[in-house]
Structure formats: structure tokens, C-alpha cells
Amino acid sequence: MKDWYLLYCKRSEQERAVINLDRQGVECYYPQVTVQKVVRGKRVEAFEPLFPSYMFVYFDPEVVTYTTVRSTRGVANFIRQGAVPQVVQPDLIYGLMVNEDSEEQRKKLSHLPQPGETLKLSKGQFKGIEAIYQEPDGEKRSFMLINLLGKPVKVSVKNEDIRNK
């Protein structure tokens, strides 16, 4: 009988795992979201996994064995409860599939402040300081312009340390 399972994939090898598992008749699903990224100085929209390095697979262990799936290129291992791979409830998977492409979900996950927007830092070494958002700096950091001793200084801070004024 077919069930959904959760796999941990090798870093950035989900696509390779999907191709190889598909050849074996294993259905694969990993939710993706649209995020805004800076590539070569330009802001672009890109698809990224909602859960990096994790993938849901649907198969019958009597047809395709756990060992075969685990040994597939790109796959690291099953998420287990004890020695047995953990079965994932189908309602969870279908809920993710339904909400994956919603406009509201995209806005939540891809919101970045606009350059020039005044923000207040909520965590970290600059907590409580007002700053002017300059530009994104990678996945989890942003450049901010803060005023230290009367002189504007450009610093890099974690995105979760920022809150709107």
C-alpha cells in the first residue's frame, strides 16, 4: 500500500533525486515558493524549495524497497521514527499542494523592504536603532545605513533583526 514519506536529500540535490526517483516509479513532491533574490546586482524572482533539502515521496515499499529509495543518487536518508521511516499524513501533503501557489503565501515569503525605507532593528547588536534599508545581501542579510556618531555607516544585518517602523 502506498504512503507518503519524508526524505532528507543531499544539499542542493533535490532535482537530481527527483529525476532518479521518478525513473523508479516513485512520486516526489517538494513545495516551492517564489522569492525575490539579488543576482548580479538585479532583483529577480526565483523558485526555491520551501523546505530546503527535504522532499516528500509517495510509493509502495513492497514494490520499491526503502533501501532502493534511500540509495538513490541525491538522497541522504529517510526521516525516521526509531528504525522505521516515518509515514506522513496525506492531509498535510495535500494542504501544502493547495497552498503552494497562493498569492498570499508568495507575498509573505518574498517581502523585502524597499530601498530608502526607514526601519527599526529589533534584534542583534544594533537593536533599537533606526536604519535606512539599502539593499538585500544574500538570503538572510540586508545592508542598512545607520547613523553612528553623526556619520552614516553601511552595515549588514540579519533580515529577522529588521522590523518596520
Side-chain angles (χ1 to χ4, degrees):
M1 186 166 134
K2 286 187 169 186
D3 282 312
W4 284 99
Y5 299 92
L6 183 59
L7 288 179
Y8 181 73
C9 297
K10 294 175 183 168
R11 189 167 188 256
S12 302
E13 292 197 17
Q14 284 172 298
E15 288 294 327
R16 172 184 273 179
V18 168
I19 291 167
N20 291 311
L21 288 166
D22 189 45
R23 288 180 188 154
Q24 298 170 24
V26 176
E27 185 178 336
C28 303
Y29 172 66
Y30 61 100
Q32 295 186 14
V33 292
T34 306
V35 295
Q36 291 182 3
K37 296 178 83 170
V38 176
V39 177
R40 296 187 185 122
K42 293 183 181 180
R43 188 178 294 195
V44 296
E45 287 191 354
F47 284 107
E48 288 189 352
L50 182 59
F51 309 114
S53 299
Y54 291 92
M55 178 186 343
F56 298 100
V57 291
Y58 186 66
F59 68 99
D60 183 350
E62 292 182 13
V63 176
V64 180
T65 65
Y66 294 123
T67 306
T68 303
V69 173
R70 186 181 53 81
S71 300
T72 302
R73 289 190 72 178
V75 173
N77 211 336
F78 282 94
I79 301 302
R80 301 174 178 271
Q81 184 166 359
V84 181
Q86 180 64 46
V87 174
V88 178
Q89 295 302 315
D91 295 345
L92 173 69
I93 306 299
Y94 301 132
L96 287 169
M97 288 177 176
V98 167
N99 291 318
E100 181 177 10
D101 292 325
S102 74
E103 188 64 31
E104 180 182 316
Q105 188 73 3
R106 274 190 224 135
K107 285 180 183 177
K108 267 190 224 176
L109 294 168
S110 66
H111 173 71
L112 289 174
Q114 296 300 312
E117 189 175 336
T118 302
L119 305 165
K120 194 170 207 170
L121 301 176
S122 61
K123 295 180 188 172
Q125 64 189 19
F126 301 108
K127 181 179 179 179
I129 295 177
E130 286 188 4
I132 301 170
Y133 182 80
Q134 294 294 300
E135 63 182 300
D137 174 27
E139 283 186 42
K140 297 188 179 189
R141 301 190 70 79
S142 296
F143 280 120
M144 307 292 284
L145 196 60
I146 63 172
N147 200 2
L148 289 177
L149 301 174
K151 181 179 177 187
V153 178
K154 190 175 185 179
V155 296
S156 182
V157 297
K158 292 179 183 175
N159 286 344
E160 59 264 14
D161 294 351
I162 302 168
R163 69 170 180 217
N164 288 337
K165 191 173 173 186

